[in-house]
Amino acid sequence: MTCALILAAGRGERMRPLTDHTPKPLVEVRGRPLIEHHLDGLHRAGIERVVVNLGWLGERLRAHLGDGARYGLRIDYSVEGWPALETGGGIYRALPLLGTAPFIVINGDVYCDYPLRQLVERAQNLPPNDLAHLLLVPNPAHHPNGDFALDGARVRDAGMPRHTFSGISVLRPDLFEGCRDGAFPLAPLLRKAIRADRVGGELYTGLWSDVGTIERRDALNA
């Protein structure tokens, strides 16, 4: 059974003062909290179990989501406290809850209409040697230089054109082999795997937004 992790521990500095009292995943986008869009999409994709990591105002987020039953899901929580553990450290802390199979990861502060059922299929059919599958998107105005290139269905750390990592991916637990509990970023692990040709990917040109500022939130709502 494929599991999913929603990264929801961040502070949301660029959305202050809104996030001084509201966890960023509970900021409303298009009429409902941002994280609920992810939960509904995962449920429609056939996911039954979701892990949410908790950091800034984490107990408010837990109180809002509960056990996940009203979303048709089971939600478990990976508690980090504050300060949180960065993306890599947060995923590593959650690994015992995610099992041994490839799992889906979604940044809690993105909005995207990618059909997540396709990502479930990617997770269930990830090539044995691959450590990750990344969803890339066209570069937004605030990130014009992108992150990675694509060579067919393989992600490269060099080459043109470059695209932006969407914050949506499939990861294999083995990506974190040798890591230790604590705060660390995900990007160096991905780049190491990319250089070893162990990362696949695709470019999605549909609706995607990094809801990292109030202005971007307002643009989506408009």
Side-chain angles (χ1 to χ4, degrees), residues 105-106 117 144:
V105 179
I106 301 177
R117 187 172 295 275

Side-chain angles (χ1 to χ4, degrees), residues 1-2 28 32 39 52 60 74 82 93 104 113 117 123 154 159 165 176 200 210:
M1 179 178 69
T2 302
E28 288 205 359
R32 63 189 312 197
L39 294 172
V52 176
R60 293 192 183 188
R74 170 186 163 186
W82 191 255
R93 172 74 63 88
I104 292 168
D113 63 0
R117 187 172 295 275
R154 309 305 297 169
F165 176 40
F176 297 86
D210 167 14

Side-chain angles (χ1 to χ4, degrees), residues 121-220:
E121 293 172 0
R122 295 282 187 187
Q124 294 172 346
N125 296 282
L126 193 68
N129 191 55
D130 277 10
L131 295 173
H133 178 90
L134 307 185
L135 186 70
L136 306 181
V137 295
N139 300 330
H142 63 273
H143 191 62
N145 297 323
D147 300 303
F148 304 114
L150 277 173
D151 178 11
R154 309 305 297 169
V155 177
R156 305 300 185 201
D157 200 18
M160 297 294 289
R162 296 178 71 79
H163 312 291
T164 291
F165 176 40
S166 68
I168 300 172
S169 60
V170 171
L171 303 181
R172 192 182 295 279
D174 291 352
L175 178 67
F176 297 86
E177 184 176 355
C179 293
R180 300 173 64 179
D181 194 45
F184 61 87
L186 176 64
L189 299 180
L190 290 177
R191 294 188 188 281
K192 180 180 177 181
I194 288 167
R195 289 192 293 269
D197 193 23
R198 301 188 69 183
V199 178
E202 62 187 290
L203 179 66
Y204 181 64
T205 58
L207 177 61
W208 175 87
S209 176
D210 167 14
V211 193
T213 65
I214 292 175
E215 291 75 17
R216 285 180 226 148
R217 189 278 311 264
D218 291 346
L220 266 177

Side-chain angles (χ1 to χ4, degrees), residues 84-114:
L85 298 177
E86 301 187 54
T87 304
I91 298 171
Y92 181 80
R93 172 74 63 88
L95 287 181
L97 298 171
L98 292 165
T100 59
F103 54 90
I104 292 168
V105 179
I106 301 177
N107 284 5
D109 58 357
V110 301
Y111 182 92
C112 186
D113 63 0
Y114 179 85

Side-chain angles (χ1 to χ4, degrees), residues 56-70:
W56 177 254
L57 300 178
E59 290 309 312
R60 293 192 183 188
L61 188 58
R62 188 203 298 259
H64 181 90
L65 300 179
D67 63 3
R70 64 190 172 112

